[in-house]
Amino acid sequence: MTSHDPVSTGHPVLLSIGDAVTLILARRSSPVETVLLDGPSGAGKSTLADALVAAWAGAVSIVRMDAIYPGWDGLAAASRHVHDFLLEPRRRGVQSRWQRYDWVAGRPAEWQTVPGNRSLVLEGCGALSRLNAPLATMRIWLDADDDVRKQRALARDNGGFDAHWDGWQRQFSEFLADESPREAADIRLRLP
């Protein structure tokens, strides 16, 4: 990154999804990347991850933290889970995996494997922890205005998130204070 690169200033760059994908893909430096995409609820992480995977040249897997959180109080546990079972084994070149959480049954479900010979996009709140950051080749922080984020997040889950919004935000604030994911990011983006 050069000093003229707006992403290197530490301030989030306001971009469209298409421009964000172009910027991220231009920064690929390895045939097999490990991308961590983090940010608050409703920032557009899933949308950006889907667009990124669709535009990716080559094999890529996507893992969503939403499928791993062990319930509404599980942000820290899921962050540690992906470190222990997905990212650290991936770094060592052994089979990596993650366990899906069954939100309906309220318990852990089946394990999923992730091929080590393809790139990985891990997206969701808690992906970019202090332990996880060094295990990635790209670290992305995505943000949006608070009102926009809340509106998006609550609309997305058709009322399922409403009763949990405040608790989740407190949990995420603790994650921000403890883990400093914004500061660990190589790319900081803001979507409209």
Side-chain angles (χ1 to χ4, degrees), residues 74-179:
L75 190 148
S79 184
R80 184 60 190 216
H81 177 88
V82 295
H83 173 271
D84 293 349
F85 296 103
L86 181 63
L87 299 173
E88 181 59 32
R90 183 176 173 85
R91 181 196 61 79
R92 292 192 324 265
V94 299
Q95 186 175 34
S96 61
R97 61 194 186 133
W98 58 277
Q99 189 171 24
R100 186 180 70 83
Y101 183 76
D102 185 332
W103 283 84
V104 175
R107 65 175 182 260
E110 76 282 353
W111 285 87
Q112 305 286 324
T113 59
V114 178
N117 63 344
R118 58 173 46 191
S119 293
L120 168 67
V121 175
L122 173 63
E123 70 89 5
C125 298
L128 189 51
S129 68
R130 290 182 193 272
L131 285 174
N132 295 345
L135 303 176
T137 56
M138 274 196 270
R139 291 157 288 276
I140 303 166
W141 177 260
L142 182 62
D143 213 339
D145 291 332
D146 288 345
D147 291 341
V148 171
R149 292 187 314 93
K150 185 174 183 178
Q151 182 181 29
R152 281 183 196 155
L154 297 182
R156 173 188 64 211
D157 291 330
N158 297 316
F161 195 178
D162 293 15
H164 305 283
W165 176 262
D166 291 336
W168 185 261
Q169 285 301 106
R170 278 191 299 277
Q171 195 176 174
F172 189 68
S173 293
E174 290 172 16
F175 176 78
L176 290 176
D178 294 344
E179 303 294 336

